[in-house]
Amino acid sequence: METTAQESLISVIIPVYNTKAYLERCVDSVCHQTYADLEILLVDDGSTDGTGVLCDELARKDSRIRVFHKENGGSSSARNLGLQKAQGKYIGFVDSDDYISPEMYELLWQAIQKYDTS
């Protein structure tokens, strides 16, 4: 089964609120995935500690990162905004104070292909 670029895109939504100390490690872990067909959506949920500025700085380093700033409404509202803005066929979530294994999305993509779950 041949896929188009849009069909292979995974949107990774990272809701962000006052996690300046952890965010760069989180985003680096997503940017350095062995599966590169990702868009990374940072949804700043009204951070007050400079996290929003860091989001913008990180976006300047990698063209796959898009940033959205909103008034504080909680992680669910941040995730929902990310879902509205996502362009990928598949969606993943990572918490902004966490990080992921470099192979996470490659293994996911391989399982999607192997089991034809599209």
Side-chain angles (χ1 to χ4, degrees), residues 17-72:
Y17 180 73
N18 288 349
T19 53
K20 186 177 178 184
Y22 310 103
L23 183 61
E24 194 162 5
R25 182 177 187 187
C26 171
V27 172
D28 283 349
S29 75
V30 179
C31 288
H32 291 100
Q33 289 293 295
T34 54
Y35 184 85
D37 195 8
L38 303 171
E39 73 166 346
I40 303 160
L41 292 84
L42 302 178
V43 183
D44 174 31
D45 190 35
S47 295
T48 59
D49 68 346
T51 299
V53 172
L54 179 56
C55 288
D56 295 333
E57 291 172 7
L58 295 171
R60 286 191 286 276
K61 295 179 184 179
D62 191 315
S63 63
R64 297 174 298 170
I65 299 173
R66 294 191 297 145
V67 178
F68 304 93
H69 299 278
K70 60 181 280 314
E71 288 185 24
N72 183 259

Side-chain angles (χ1 to χ4, degrees), residues 81-102:
L81 178 60
L83 287 169
Q84 290 171 8
K85 301 294 185 179
Q87 297 174 346
K89 180 173 182 179
Y90 301 97
I91 305 291
F93 294 99
V94 178
D95 290 335
S96 61
D97 62 350
D98 205 354
Y99 59 94
I100 58 176
S101 164

